[in-house]
Amino acid sequence: MRDYLDDRSLRLRRERSDQPASARPFVLAGVLCLVALSLIYLDQQGIISPLRMLLQQAFSPAALQLTGLRNHTEDLIGAPRSEDDLRATITALEQEVSQLKAENLRLQQAQVENESLRQQLQIQREQPWHLVGAEVTVRPPDAGRQVMLIARGSADGVQVGMAVIGQDPSGPAALVGVIESVGTHTAEVLLITDVSSRISARVMHAGQAHLGLVQGQWQRGSRLSIGQVDRSAAISPGDAVVSAGLTGSLNLQLDLATVPANIPIGSIEEINPGGQGQSAELRPFVNPDQVRYVWVILNQNE
Amino acid sequence: MGYILLIGVLALVQVTLLRTPLGFSAPLLLVITICRTLIGMGAAFRDIGMVQGVRWAFYSGLMLDILAATPLGTHAFALLLATITVAFATRRLRIEGPLLPLLAMLVASLIYESVMALLIQPGPVMWGDTLRVALIPGTLLALIMTLPIFFLLRWMLRA
């Protein structure tokens, strides 16, 4: 094991030594800092991004396996432990199974598709979207940005700016994020909760739709907010918010401006009056932190 | 070459298995890098020990950048700054007992998280929110992992 930790043997000091480290390691560290800064610059210019994407793709299968292992472990840990919990779970499951059987009989389904495909079919039946399903491979290790990697790329028709949706078991299919960059078999998704994510949206209230701009708030301690809603517009907690499909026409400095209209985003939790327009805190229909499987909207029927 | 492979495996573990409900991963590679540097600074040949710490920081950072979809060099720069600071601060100290590793990790984690916030957050950094959402939880996680990893690494390197 020691050989893997070091390439040279290391003798730990037993006696006190007042001999400080020389300047040589600090010079090396300084040089490496300059190399790192140069790499950042080159990556931001897009010169070495393809190389990074290629390496990312090479690690993707292993990351997918490990993420699956983690999800499986999470499920095991989250499973009920006490006898009462188990009984309650069994009762709930029996009711659910019963309902599912009845539904299956009504619809004369011969067999049950796997959950992800079934969800995809259901979404495609209800919405005019052409979807491609994708597993979430890696989530960011840092608190700074809300992004995730998915196991689909340009080879599957995925392009920058496409909307990515997910679905919680009890909720509608809803917007999770937007494709930010694409490799051949992987893509990075900027989550709607990231502070740099801005999507044009409509607040649905009593048959009327009021325009606004949904922005991520994760780095500010919450999830989502909607702003720039007309002060005279009547909105109230519980109102649904859907994408407006107008992000491009709002003239924002964004590559991510091709989100189709009418994708559910969330519901209004708390209204903050004041300023030139109204703003409100939103509760997203799908928690982007929890999704394990998502769908990319490739295009929609006109 | 062996330790670069090990860093790759550890980076994969950090971004997949060690994800926390707080929305980010436990900073395994930061903790290992700083512990490795501290142990190196306590070795008979400090220069060699520090060089190894610096190399761990650089390779770990690059590996995290590849896996985390951040511009190449971002994590590397943050880890290098944290490592240099710790190495500089402890260059004349005798590293024994649990207090110094904990203090070193506190400083290193605050530097690492601050540099990451500066490099990857879009727009001006809101320091109050960053402190609450990233710096404090990230530093606490790093401190919790410090002592077990420090003593395990020291035992492995002495064995």
Side-chain angles (χ1 to χ4, degrees), chain B residues 75-132:
Chain B
H75 283 90
F77 184 66
L79 276 174
L80 278 168
L81 277 190
T83 304
I84 294 168
T85 309
V86 166
F88 186 76
T90 58
R91 70 194 190 286
R92 287 181 186 279
L93 298 176
R94 192 173 189 184
I95 299 155
E96 283 183 358
L99 192 60
L100 200 59
L102 287 173
L103 278 175
M105 191 58 66
L106 178 70
V107 173
S109 179
L110 289 176
I111 291 171
Y112 173 78
E113 297 289 356
S114 305
V115 173
M116 286 305 295
L118 279 169
L119 289 177
I120 65 176
Q121 275 194 24
V125 178
M126 296 154 288
W127 285 110
D129 296 329
T130 303
L131 191 74
R132 188 163 47 88

Side-chain angles (χ1 to χ4, degrees), chain A residues 56-268:
Chain A
Q56 213 169 62
Q57 206 171 297
F59 280 102
S60 184
L64 195 61
Q65 291 291 324
L66 286 173
T67 303
L69 180 68
R70 184 191 189 283
N71 291 340
H72 185 62
T73 311
E74 246 179 16
D75 290 343
L76 280 178
I77 292 170
R81 296 255 179 270
S82 74
E83 198 175 323
D84 288 343
D85 284 347
L86 280 170
R87 283 211 178 101
T89 307
I90 288 169
T91 309
L93 284 172
E94 280 174 349
Q95 283 175 353
E96 197 177 330
V97 167
S98 165
Q99 284 170 357
L100 283 172
K101 277 181 179 171
E103 191 179 342
N104 280 348
L105 282 173
R106 271 201 311 277
L107 298 173
Q108 297 182 342
Q109 286 180 333
Q111 52 182 309
V112 177
E113 300 267 357
N114 88 32
E115 189 179 351
S116 300
L117 284 174
R118 200 150 47 86
Q119 276 183 308
Q120 180 170 339
L121 285 171
Q122 191 179 340
I123 295 165
Q124 283 185 318
R125 223 171 15 236
E126 291 170 358
Q127 304 287 353
W129 302 325
H130 289 159
L131 305 174
V132 59
E135 281 185 275
V136 176
T137 58
V138 173
R139 294 173 179 286
D142 310 296
R145 288 202 83 204
Q146 285 281 285
V147 292
M148 64 186 180
L149 284 183
I150 59 171
R152 293 283 188 181
S154 55
D156 307 292
V158 176
Q159 291 172 14
V160 171
M162 286 179 168
V164 178
I165 59 170
Q167 188 170 29
D168 282 342
S170 56
L175 191 65
V176 168
V178 178
I179 299 289
E180 193 177 42
S181 62
V182 184
T184 314
H185 297 293
T186 57
E188 292 166 22
V189 180
L190 178 71
L191 302 183
I192 53 169
T193 46
D194 189 273
V195 75
S196 63
S197 163
R198 285 178 289 178
I199 310 282
S200 65
R202 285 195 176 93
V203 185
M204 315 303 284
H205 180 86
Q208 290 187 316
H210 307 291
L211 272 177
L213 189 68
V214 170
Q215 186 171 12
Q217 296 291 320
W218 198 88
Q219 286 91 337
R220 293 172 182 164
S222 64
R223 291 259 172 82
L224 279 178
S225 72
I226 184 166
Q228 300 183 18
V229 180
D230 194 336
R231 283 193 71 163
S232 60
I235 58 174
S236 57
D239 285 352
V241 176
V242 301
S243 64
L246 300 173
T247 309
S249 61
L250 287 177
N251 200 23
L252 298 171
Q253 295 295 314
L254 292 170
D255 295 329
L256 320 171
T258 54
V259 177
N262 299 322
I263 305 176
I265 296 175
S267 60
I268 289 184

